[in-house]
Amino acid sequence: MDNVENQGMTIEDIKAMFDAMADVSLQDHYKKEGDYWKNGVLYCGKCGAPRTYDMKTPEGFVIKHLPIICNCSKREDLRENQLYLDRKRDFYSNTSLPYKHVQFSKNVFEKIGMPELHNVLVRFCENCVMAPDSKRKTYGLYFSGERGSGKTLSLCALADYLLLKNVPVKAMDIKDVLYLDDKSFSRVIYDLCRDYTVLFFDDFINVSLKITEFSVDRLVKIFNMFKNNGTIVVLNCLSGLELMRKQKLFDPLYLCLKRSLNIYEIKMKGKIIDETDQSECLFE
């Protein structure tokens, strides 16, 4: 006490200082556009209801500025959740992707034995998808691994995270753009780049795809156009990039993905227990 007074500060001064710090902190964390402070209480700028209150403990201490959720905030949260569900429904409406109800969470990746993947994908979104175009270090993500290793599950979980963040995304079959006629090719690609930030291609190269020198050159052109227009691609494939590199036919595509897109490969080592009923197994 003596030390405090010797420095020119009383207990009341210290209390006032911490109260002021609390007000500044709350302005950073609780205050929304239009909200205002009055008599030490934060009020909602839309409905005028208080958004904070002070609570007195049985011991006589006062805990200041505890948050309250006003009715208009509740309505806003419900509206945002409905918009997210609408975006998710639209994402799955024209695709055969499974895991329509998967949500991006650590639990998903823990169940397939790859808990570290959660943070990897968050960093990819923050440093690539949601970063300015000039600061992006990669324009793609490539999941590789055997069947049942969690490639499609991880792709769908990543899509859920971006849908929640209101990032424009679309799931496609690579054949939807690979076999376009020359007249509509450029227009369709540019429209996709205009409308979507991320494009998802599940089972990127498969047995139903007729791979020729022409189709490889077309894929190279497609991915370069995506990159040049700021659109990110997320692919998954049974074969890794190193195996692609060993096949002469795929060499131009490998160079495009590695050098032009600087694509980041994730080698899946997870295990989905029952591939015949994956969603039930993972989300019971």
mmCIF file of all heavy atoms in Angstrom, residues 23-49:
data_model
loop_
_atom_site.group_PDB
_atom_site.id
_atom_site.type_symbol
_atom_site.label_atom_id
_atom_site.label_comp_id
_atom_site.label_asym_id
_atom_site.label_seq_id
_atom_site.Cartn_x
_atom_site.Cartn_y
_atom_site.Cartn_z
ATOM 1 N N ASP A 23 -12.679 -1.244 -20.649
ATOM 2 C CA ASP A 23 -13.500 -0.597 -21.675
ATOM 3 C C ASP A 23 -12.838 -0.679 -23.040
ATOM 4 O O ASP A 23 -13.473 -0.975 -24.038
ATOM 5 C CB ASP A 23 -13.742 0.876 -21.305
ATOM 6 C CG ASP A 23 -14.781 1.019 -20.193
ATOM 7 O OD1 ASP A 23 -15.484 0.023 -19.930
ATOM 8 O OD2 ASP A 23 -14.875 2.110 -19.607
ATOM 9 N N VAL A 24 -11.533 -0.401 -23.093
ATOM 10 C CA VAL A 24 -10.807 -0.452 -24.370
ATOM 11 C C VAL A 24 -10.811 -1.864 -24.918
ATOM 12 O O VAL A 24 -11.034 -2.104 -26.109
ATOM 13 C CB VAL A 24 -9.360 0.054 -24.185
ATOM 14 C CG1 VAL A 24 -8.560 -0.186 -25.447
ATOM 15 C CG2 VAL A 24 -9.362 1.538 -23.819
ATOM 16 N N SER A 25 -10.570 -2.843 -24.035
ATOM 17 C CA SER A 25 -10.554 -4.243 -24.466
ATOM 18 C C SER A 25 -11.903 -4.655 -25.035
ATOM 19 O O SER A 25 -11.982 -5.323 -26.056
ATOM 20 C CB SER A 25 -10.175 -5.140 -23.281
ATOM 21 O OG SER A 25 -10.228 -6.505 -23.656
ATOM 22 N N LEU A 26 -12.988 -4.234 -24.341
ATOM 23 C CA LEU A 26 -14.315 -4.608 -24.809
ATOM 24 C C LEU A 26 -14.647 -3.960 -26.144
ATOM 25 O O LEU A 26 -15.323 -4.535 -26.984
ATOM 26 C CB LEU A 26 -15.367 -4.211 -23.764
ATOM 27 C CG LEU A 26 -15.445 -5.165 -22.572
ATOM 28 C CD1 LEU A 26 -16.228 -4.515 -21.449
ATOM 29 C CD2 LEU A 26 -16.078 -6.474 -22.963
ATOM 30 N N GLN A 27 -14.162 -2.753 -26.376
ATOM 31 C CA GLN A 27 -14.385 -2.109 -27.655
ATOM 32 C C GLN A 27 -13.756 -2.929 -28.781
ATOM 33 O O GLN A 27 -14.265 -2.983 -29.886
ATOM 34 C CB GLN A 27 -13.812 -0.692 -27.632
ATOM 35 C CG GLN A 27 -14.646 0.271 -26.778
ATOM 36 C CD GLN A 27 -14.017 1.639 -26.693
ATOM 37 O OE1 GLN A 27 -13.059 1.929 -27.388
ATOM 38 N NE2 GLN A 27 -14.550 2.485 -25.832
ATOM 39 N N ASP A 28 -12.650 -3.590 -28.484
ATOM 40 C CA ASP A 28 -11.983 -4.414 -29.492
ATOM 41 C C ASP A 28 -12.715 -5.730 -29.718
ATOM 42 O O ASP A 28 -12.784 -6.218 -30.843
ATOM 43 C CB ASP A 28 -10.536 -4.717 -29.054
ATOM 44 C CG ASP A 28 -9.665 -3.471 -29.081
ATOM 45 O OD1 ASP A 28 -10.025 -2.534 -29.809
ATOM 46 O OD2 ASP A 28 -8.652 -3.443 -28.369
ATOM 47 N N HIS A 29 -13.280 -6.320 -28.647
ATOM 48 C CA HIS A 29 -13.788 -7.683 -28.743
ATOM 49 C C HIS A 29 -15.307 -7.794 -28.866
ATOM 50 O O HIS A 29 -15.815 -8.688 -29.539
ATOM 51 C CB HIS A 29 -13.317 -8.497 -27.535
ATOM 52 C CG HIS A 29 -11.835 -8.696 -27.490
ATOM 53 N ND1 HIS A 29 -11.174 -9.571 -28.331
ATOM 54 C CD2 HIS A 29 -10.882 -8.117 -26.735
ATOM 55 C CE1 HIS A 29 -9.869 -9.533 -28.077
ATOM 56 N NE2 HIS A 29 -9.663 -8.661 -27.120
ATOM 57 N N TYR A 30 -16.053 -6.922 -28.205
ATOM 58 C CA TYR A 30 -17.504 -7.052 -28.175
ATOM 59 C C TYR A 30 -18.221 -6.088 -29.107
ATOM 60 O O TYR A 30 -19.266 -6.386 -29.641
ATOM 61 C CB TYR A 30 -18.039 -6.807 -26.749
ATOM 62 C CG TYR A 30 -17.610 -7.829 -25.728
ATOM 63 C CD1 TYR A 30 -17.566 -7.499 -24.378
ATOM 64 C CD2 TYR A 30 -17.258 -9.122 -26.103
ATOM 65 C CE1 TYR A 30 -17.186 -8.431 -23.425
ATOM 66 C CE2 TYR A 30 -16.871 -10.050 -25.165
ATOM 67 C CZ TYR A 30 -16.829 -9.701 -23.824
ATOM 68 O OH TYR A 30 -16.456 -10.617 -22.900
ATOM 69 N N LYS A 31 -17.660 -4.897 -29.261
ATOM 70 C CA LYS A 31 -18.374 -3.839 -29.957
ATOM 71 C C LYS A 31 -18.503 -4.123 -31.444
ATOM 72 O O LYS A 31 -17.532 -4.438 -32.124
ATOM 73 C CB LYS A 31 -17.656 -2.497 -29.746
ATOM 74 C CG LYS A 31 -18.468 -1.299 -30.234
ATOM 75 C CD LYS A 31 -17.779 0.009 -29.873
ATOM 76 C CE LYS A 31 -18.618 1.199 -30.322
ATOM 77 N NZ LYS A 31 -17.945 2.473 -29.996
ATOM 78 N N LYS A 32 -19.733 -4.027 -31.936
ATOM 79 C CA LYS A 32 -20.011 -4.157 -33.355
ATOM 80 C C LYS A 32 -20.320 -2.775 -33.922
ATOM 81 O O LYS A 32 -20.518 -1.817 -33.188
ATOM 82 C CB LYS A 32 -21.204 -5.095 -33.578
ATOM 83 C CG LYS A 32 -20.977 -6.512 -33.090
ATOM 84 C CD LYS A 32 -22.190 -7.384 -33.367
ATOM 85 C CE LYS A 32 -21.969 -8.808 -32.892
ATOM 86 N NZ LYS A 32 -23.153 -9.662 -33.137
ATOM 87 N N GLU A 33 -20.352 -2.700 -35.221
ATOM 88 C CA GLU A 33 -20.627 -1.428 -35.870
ATOM 89 C C GLU A 33 -21.992 -0.882 -35.408
ATOM 90 O O GLU A 33 -22.994 -1.588 -35.458
ATOM 91 C CB GLU A 33 -20.620 -1.596 -37.393
ATOM 92 C CG GLU A 33 -20.773 -0.288 -38.151
ATOM 93 C CD GLU A 33 -20.681 -0.467 -39.644
ATOM 94 O OE1 GLU A 33 -20.409 -1.609 -40.095
ATOM 95 O OE2 GLU A 33 -20.875 0.517 -40.366
ATOM 96 N N GLY A 34 -21.994 0.350 -34.959
ATOM 97 C CA GLY A 34 -23.235 0.974 -34.490
ATOM 98 C C GLY A 34 -23.459 0.882 -32.997
ATOM 99 O O GLY A 34 -24.263 1.630 -32.424
ATOM 100 N N ASP A 35 -22.766 -0.047 -32.313
ATOM 101 C CA ASP A 35 -22.900 -0.164 -30.854
ATOM 102 C C ASP A 35 -22.310 1.073 -30.168
ATOM 103 O O ASP A 35 -21.429 1.742 -30.726
ATOM 104 C CB ASP A 35 -22.194 -1.418 -30.343
ATOM 105 C CG ASP A 35 -22.903 -2.696 -30.756
ATOM 106 O OD1 ASP A 35 -23.966 -2.592 -31.383
ATOM 107 O OD2 ASP A 35 -22.378 -3.776 -30.459
ATOM 108 N N TYR A 36 -22.777 1.355 -28.968
ATOM 109 C CA TYR A 36 -22.289 2.547 -28.274
ATOM 110 C C TYR A 36 -22.250 2.306 -26.764
ATOM 111 O O TYR A 36 -22.987 1.482 -26.227
ATOM 112 C CB TYR A 36 -23.185 3.759 -28.583
ATOM 113 C CG TYR A 36 -24.640 3.567 -28.188
ATOM 114 C CD1 TYR A 36 -25.119 3.995 -26.940
ATOM 115 C CD2 TYR A 36 -25.533 2.949 -29.060
ATOM 116 C CE1 TYR A 36 -26.439 3.824 -26.568
ATOM 117 C CE2 TYR A 36 -26.868 2.763 -28.703
ATOM 118 C CZ TYR A 36 -27.312 3.191 -27.467
ATOM 119 O OH TYR A 36 -28.617 3.015 -27.097
ATOM 120 N N TRP A 37 -21.367 3.036 -26.100
ATOM 121 C CA TRP A 37 -21.227 2.971 -24.647
ATOM 122 C C TRP A 37 -22.024 4.096 -24.000
ATOM 123 O O TRP A 37 -22.030 5.229 -24.474
ATOM 124 C CB TRP A 37 -19.756 3.111 -24.247
ATOM 125 C CG TRP A 37 -18.929 1.913 -24.580
ATOM 126 C CD1 TRP A 37 -18.203 1.697 -25.709
ATOM 127 C CD2 TRP A 37 -18.736 0.771 -23.757
ATOM 128 N NE1 TRP A 37 -17.569 0.491 -25.660
ATOM 129 C CE2 TRP A 37 -17.872 -0.105 -24.461
ATOM 130 C CE3 TRP A 37 -19.205 0.383 -22.494
ATOM 131 C CZ2 TRP A 37 -17.479 -1.327 -23.956
ATOM 132 C CZ3 TRP A 37 -18.795 -0.845 -21.980
ATOM 133 C CH2 TRP A 37 -17.955 -1.684 -22.700
ATOM 134 N N LYS A 38 -22.704 3.784 -22.895
ATOM 135 C CA LYS A 38 -23.437 4.787 -22.130
ATOM 136 C C LYS A 38 -23.439 4.372 -20.659
ATOM 137 O O LYS A 38 -23.894 3.278 -20.322
ATOM 138 C CB LYS A 38 -24.867 4.927 -22.649
ATOM 139 C CG LYS A 38 -25.654 6.041 -21.947
ATOM 140 C CD LYS A 38 -27.055 6.165 -22.557
ATOM 141 C CE LYS A 38 -27.838 7.269 -21.851
ATOM 142 N NZ LYS A 38 -29.223 7.388 -22.439
ATOM 143 N N ASN A 39 -22.898 5.241 -19.824
ATOM 144 C CA ASN A 39 -22.838 4.975 -18.378
ATOM 145 C C ASN A 39 -22.177 3.632 -18.068
ATOM 146 O O ASN A 39 -22.627 2.873 -17.214
ATOM 147 C CB ASN A 39 -24.241 5.022 -17.753
ATOM 148 C CG ASN A 39 -24.899 6.380 -17.918
ATOM 149 O OD1 ASN A 39 -24.221 7.405 -17.895
ATOM 150 N ND2 ASN A 39 -26.215 6.375 -18.089
ATOM 151 N N GLY A 40 -21.113 3.317 -18.822
ATOM 152 C CA GLY A 40 -20.360 2.094 -18.568
ATOM 153 C C GLY A 40 -21.005 0.820 -19.084
ATOM 154 O O GLY A 40 -20.560 -0.281 -18.760
ATOM 155 N N VAL A 41 -22.073 0.954 -19.875
ATOM 156 C CA VAL A 41 -22.753 -0.214 -20.451
ATOM 157 C C VAL A 41 -22.699 -0.126 -21.975
ATOM 158 O O VAL A 41 -22.909 0.956 -22.542
ATOM 159 C CB VAL A 41 -24.228 -0.293 -19.984
ATOM 160 C CG1 VAL A 41 -24.945 -1.464 -20.647
ATOM 161 C CG2 VAL A 41 -24.284 -0.418 -18.463
ATOM 162 N N LEU A 42 -22.418 -1.242 -22.615
ATOM 163 C CA LEU A 42 -22.408 -1.286 -24.070
ATOM 164 C C LEU A 42 -23.806 -1.635 -24.571
ATOM 165 O O LEU A 42 -24.398 -2.622 -24.141
ATOM 166 C CB LEU A 42 -21.410 -2.344 -24.561
ATOM 167 C CG LEU A 42 -21.251 -2.493 -26.073
ATOM 168 C CD1 LEU A 42 -20.667 -1.222 -26.687
ATOM 169 C CD2 LEU A 42 -20.358 -3.686 -26.400
ATOM 170 N N TYR A 43 -24.333 -0.795 -25.475
ATOM 171 C CA TYR A 43 -25.675 -1.006 -26.012
ATOM 172 C C TYR A 43 -25.616 -1.372 -27.491
ATOM 173 O O TYR A 43 -24.742 -0.892 -28.220
ATOM 174 C CB TYR A 43 -26.530 0.256 -25.839
ATOM 175 C CG TYR A 43 -26.923 0.538 -24.410
ATOM 176 C CD1 TYR A 43 -26.100 1.311 -23.584
ATOM 177 C CD2 TYR A 43 -28.100 0.025 -23.874
ATOM 178 C CE1 TYR A 43 -26.451 1.569 -22.263
ATOM 179 C CE2 TYR A 43 -28.464 0.278 -22.559
ATOM 180 C CZ TYR A 43 -27.630 1.037 -21.760
ATOM 181 O OH TYR A 43 -27.984 1.277 -20.458
ATOM 182 N N CYS A 44 -26.555 -2.218 -27.907
ATOM 183 C CA CYS A 44 -26.653 -2.627 -29.302
ATOM 184 C C CYS A 44 -27.110 -1.438 -30.148
ATOM 185 O O CYS A 44 -28.100 -0.770 -29.818
ATOM 186 C CB CYS A 44 -27.642 -3.791 -29.448
ATOM 187 S SG CYS A 44 -27.939 -4.290 -31.158
ATOM 188 N N GLY A 45 -26.426 -1.183 -31.240
ATOM 189 C CA GLY A 45 -26.777 -0.075 -32.108
ATOM 190 C C GLY A 45 -28.014 -0.316 -32.944
ATOM 191 O O GLY A 45 -28.556 0.612 -33.539
ATOM 192 N N LYS A 46 -28.492 -1.576 -32.985
ATOM 193 C CA LYS A 46 -29.669 -1.896 -33.796
ATOM 194 C C LYS A 46 -30.957 -1.877 -32.973
ATOM 195 O O LYS A 46 -31.942 -1.261 -33.352
ATOM 196 C CB LYS A 46 -29.491 -3.269 -34.459
ATOM 197 C CG LYS A 46 -28.374 -3.308 -35.480
ATOM 198 C CD LYS A 46 -28.249 -4.691 -36.102
ATOM 199 C CE LYS A 46 -27.131 -4.732 -37.121
ATOM 200 N NZ LYS A 46 -26.974 -6.101 -37.713
ATOM 201 N N CYS A 47 -30.947 -2.578 -31.841
ATOM 202 C CA CYS A 47 -32.182 -2.682 -31.053
ATOM 203 C C CYS A 47 -32.139 -1.882 -29.753
ATOM 204 O O CYS A 47 -33.148 -1.760 -29.065
ATOM 205 C CB CYS A 47 -32.501 -4.145 -30.742
ATOM 206 S SG CYS A 47 -31.290 -4.958 -29.658
ATOM 207 N N GLY A 48 -30.967 -1.327 -29.413
ATOM 208 C CA GLY A 48 -30.858 -0.510 -28.213
ATOM 209 C C GLY A 48 -30.766 -1.290 -26.914
ATOM 210 O O GLY A 48 -30.713 -0.698 -25.833
ATOM 211 N N ALA A 49 -30.748 -2.608 -26.986
ATOM 212 C CA ALA A 49 -30.670 -3.435 -25.766
ATOM 213 C C ALA A 49 -29.229 -3.461 -25.259
ATOM 214 O O ALA A 49 -28.278 -3.368 -26.031
ATOM 215 C CB ALA A 49 -31.145 -4.851 -26.080
#
